[in-house]
Amino acid sequence: MKISVISFTETGQQLAERIRESMDGEAAVTLYTKCSRLEKKTVPAVDDSDADTICVRNSLSAWAGEQMAARHALIFIGACGIAVRAIAPWIMDKLHDSPVLMADEMGKYVIPLLSGHVGGANELAVRLAGALGAIPVITTATDLHDSFAVDIFAKRNDLRICNREGIAKVSAKVLAGEEITMSVQTGHLAVDETIPSGIRLCAYPPAEKVDVLIADDTEETFRKESAELLLQPKKYILGVGCKKDTDSAKLDLFLTKILEEQGIVIEQVAALASIDVKKEERCLLEFSEKYRIPFWTYTAQELQAVPGEFHGSGFVKTQVGVDNVCERAALKAAGTGGWIFLGKQAQDGMTVAVAEKTWKERIRMWL
């Protein structure tokens, strides 16, 4: 996660520095300021990403839009109204919004404003409050009642939420104290799992409409008529190779075009995979951050040991020590039982392959 912290006063700047220190390398934290006094005293007059604190020259709303487009977590140090007005034009929906938090400049309270569950703002608020000695102000109803939150359940089990309107319907029943029904594709519920009170498991396929249905999209029963909320395992892996300093927008366009041609939505992608020499490649990191997809890398030796037939290249082997990156990385990340769904595709120094993994995971009833 990349976190962008913006302050508006000298006191706020001091808190921003404490926030950065508190993360202790767990996340990349960049400090910004709109304080004119700091601009004159300590902050470079240019938008220099290598500076200790960056002075924001454009409007606060424009800055927020740029940060949210990059899927960074935002922390405003100041009044809630400042943050609300800044982010308002850029809010999309609860599955795609960046996590946004605010803290008062005295460090007394930390409040998640946006994307508390899926984006992790609630968890971040609790983490920061603990480090700062502040009070986390959590307002989401399921958290307040210590109830089952189906969107957190989906996130922790690496499940795609197919119809976000179903979240509210399921949560409403939970908060009303009503029982919710759930059907899980046969063989995919952990055998030792204790089912929380308030959840009733139904046979699969369900004989009647249930509240939550968890199944692969290839199953005939996986349709909106079967459940209020459809959850689907993320099963595709993108194996990617690229030239050094490939433009991020160019890679984004290439990969999303390939997915569209294959009928795969980005939310079905479980991971991005490549060779370890690319672990700091900006275009791959930005793609991972933008779409909230884990980025995994492997050594040349690990990739070379992957069994199978691949579109090898002698030139690639001389450069990175393995004859093929994209197909081998995709298959390595897919794990045992995975297979190549789409072989190597190349364009302008970029390569991609898509692997599909078997749905081996066991659903756990997280609370």
Side-chain angles (χ1 to χ4, degrees):
M1 175 186 290
K2 292 183 179 179
I3 301 175
S4 299
V5 184
I6 189 162
S7 59
F8 306 92
T9 66
E10 291 175 284
T11 302
Q13 171 65 15
Q14 292 171 7
L15 181 61
E17 292 170 357
R18 287 178 59 199
I19 289 174
R20 180 168 60 185
E21 292 171 3
S22 74
M23 294 307 296
D24 195 27
E26 295 178 25
V29 181
T30 305
L31 305 187
Y32 295 85
T33 187
K34 286 285 282 184
C35 175
S36 59
R37 287 174 61 84
L38 283 173
E39 177 185 342
K40 294 175 182 177
K41 291 182 178 181
T42 62
V43 182
V46 294
D47 205 14
D48 181 3
S49 59
D50 294 324
D52 182 67
T53 299
I54 301 171
C55 177
V56 176
R57 295 294 194 179
N58 54 359
S59 73
L60 185 60
S61 181
W63 173 84
E66 292 170 1
Q67 301 300 315
M68 294 176 75
R71 294 292 179 87
H72 295 171
L74 278 67
I75 302 176
F76 291 81
I77 301 178
C80 283
I82 295 174
V84 170
R85 285 190 291 271
I87 67 175
W90 316 109
I91 295 174
M92 294 184 291
D93 62 68
K94 67 191 307 173
L95 299 186
H96 299 94
D97 289 329
S98 293
V100 178
L101 304 87
M102 67 79 51
D104 65 286
E105 65 175 41
M106 299 303 293
K108 293 182 178 181
Y109 304 99
V110 181
I111 308 172
L113 299 176
L114 194 64
S115 200
H117 284 171
V118 177
N122 285 6
E123 292 180 33
L124 182 56
V126 172
R127 162 76 174 77
L128 287 175
L132 299 174
I135 298 173
V137 182
I138 308 299
T139 58
T140 41
T142 50
D143 292 89
L144 294 174
H145 292 275
D146 196 24
S147 301
F148 178 77
V150 71
D151 44 359
I152 291 182
F153 166 80
K155 179 180 178 180
R156 291 176 173 172
N157 279 289
D158 205 22
L159 299 168
R160 173 199 174 204
I161 297 171
C162 297
N163 55 324
R164 64 176 182 269
E165 66 276 6
I167 298 174
K169 295 178 181 179
V170 173
S171 295
K173 289 190 68 174
V174 170
L175 294 171
E178 298 177 19
E179 181 182 71
I180 64 170
T181 54
M182 179 182 294
S183 180
V184 182
Q185 188 172 328
T186 306
H188 296 284
L189 182 69
V191 294
D192 60 343
E193 195 64 22
T194 300
I195 308 303
S197 61
I199 297 177
R200 177 167 60 88
L201 282 182
C202 300
Y204 184 87
E208 57 185 14
K209 189 172 184 177
V210 294
D211 295 307
V212 182
L213 175 63
I214 305 171
D216 195 343
D217 61 340
T218 59
E219 293 292 311
E220 183 180 351
T221 56
F222 193 75
R223 57 184 186 275
K224 290 184 178 180
E225 293 77 15
S226 300
E228 294 289 358
L229 179 64
L230 301 175
L231 301 180
Q232 169 193 55
K234 298 179 180 182
K235 62 180 183 179
Y236 296 106
I237 308 290
L238 289 181
V240 182
C242 63
K243 290 182 179 179
K244 185 178 180 180
D245 296 327
T246 294
D247 180 72
S248 296
K250 184 178 178 180
L251 180 79
D252 191 317
L253 183 63
F254 173 56
L255 296 183
T256 52
K257 177 176 177 290
I258 292 294
L259 291 175
E260 183 179 357
E261 291 173 349
Q262 299 304 312
I264 301 171
V265 296
I266 194 72
E267 290 83 5
Q268 289 178 286
V269 177
L272 184 70
S274 192
I275 192 167
D276 62 351
V277 297
K278 294 295 179 183
K279 64 182 179 182
E280 300 297 334
E281 192 68 46
R282 182 174 180 178
C283 62
L284 296 174
L285 291 172
E286 290 188 354
F287 187 89
S288 169
E289 183 83 12
K290 179 179 179 180
Y291 295 107
R292 295 176 181 163
I293 299 171
F295 179 33
W296 301 336
T297 60
Y298 305 95
T299 65
Q301 292 75 19
E302 288 175 313
L303 294 182
Q304 194 64 50
V306 176
E309 296 184 5
F310 306 98
H311 294 87
S313 165
F315 173 75
V316 171
K317 189 168 186 178
T318 63
Q319 297 298 304
V320 296
V322 63
D323 62 348
N324 176 290
V325 170
C326 64
E327 292 175 335
R328 289 181 179 275
L331 205 54
K332 175 70 175 177
T336 304
W339 65 93
I340 295 294
F341 177 85
L342 177 68
K344 177 181 176 181
Q345 306 293 304
Q347 178 181 303
D348 300 334
M350 302 174 291
T351 61
V352 64
V354 181
E356 184 174 341
K357 65 176 184 175
T358 58
W359 184 21
K360 300 178 298 181
E361 293 82 358
R362 296 293 184 262
I363 300 301
R364 305 203 72 89
M365 304 304 294
W366 302 84
L367 285 178

